[in-house]
Amino acid sequence: MKTRFAQLVMAGCIVLLSGCSAIYRNHGYVPTDVELEPVKVGVSTQQDVASAIGRPSAAGLLNDDGWYYVQSRFEQVGPKAPEEIDRQVLAITFDKRGVVENIERFGLADGRVVALSRRVTETNIKGVGFLNQLFSSVGRLRAKDIIKE
């Protein structure tokens, strides 16, 4: 009888602990370096990029001289709210003729925007304002800040 009770207690503990395991979700799409190989700075056009890796879900805010591919990874443990643990942004900017000007990859490190890789034709980096806006929202906005009691 005691071993049966111990087995039931052990099974109950296992069921409770399994509910606290982490669940990971991925949102969005960022092409890998291998997928980006056909895209050449100063040579490839917007149509070439669209054929090679597809069109992104986000483009430049005011014009179409930048394409942004965004991918986020979330972790949820038990009943806690999901937490964003990783975000990557691939920014491809085009000149006035629609030719690739810059290819940059950004990520998060301790809540700050970090350039992971860069293929640039000029020292001027376009689209940083958009990226700063995109990354600055991480961890800043809380429900209690927008809900007034």
Side-chain angles (χ1 to χ4, degrees):
M1 187 74 161
K2 281 187 173 183
T3 54
R4 181 80 172 153
F5 178 72
Q7 289 173 343
L8 287 174
V9 169
M10 187 63 87
C13 289
I14 290 171
V15 168
L16 286 174
L17 289 176
S18 68
C20 295
S21 62
I23 298 171
Y24 296 95
R25 291 185 325 214
N26 295 310
H27 295 275
Y29 165 72
V30 172
T32 64
D33 289 334
V34 173
E35 292 171 318
L36 277 175
E37 283 179 5
V39 179
K40 304 292 182 205
V41 174
V43 177
S44 300
T45 64
Q46 284 182 336
Q47 187 58 41
D48 296 335
V49 174
S51 297
I53 59 176
R55 292 188 176 272
S57 57
L61 294 174
L62 299 176
N63 50 36
D64 199 27
D65 59 341
W67 286 3
Y68 303 95
Y69 298 83
V70 182
Q71 180 177 17
S72 296
R73 182 170 175 85
F74 292 87
E75 175 185 52
Q76 183 174 3
V77 180
K80 290 181 176 177
E83 179 182 344
E84 186 174 28
I85 58 172
D86 186 38
R87 184 184 301 184
Q88 288 193 16
V89 176
L90 176 71
I92 300 177
T93 55
F94 303 95
D95 63 16
K96 301 239 185 264
R97 299 173 298 140
V99 176
V100 175
E101 188 174 51
N102 301 326
I103 300 174
E104 299 176 284
R105 190 179 296 271
F106 297 91
L108 282 179
D110 300 324
R112 307 183 120 196
V113 178
V114 178
L116 300 177
S117 68
R118 182 177 285 167
R119 290 193 276 170
V120 183
T121 56
E122 296 178 11
T123 57
N124 182 17
I125 302 169
K126 294 184 179 180
V128 173
F130 173 77
L131 294 174
N132 282 338
Q133 288 178 1
L134 187 65
F135 281 109
S136 67
S137 66
V138 176
R140 279 198 182 168
L141 188 61
R142 297 180 307 237
K144 71 177 189 177
D145 293 337
I146 47 179
I147 298 175
K148 301 209 190 276
E149 295 180 21

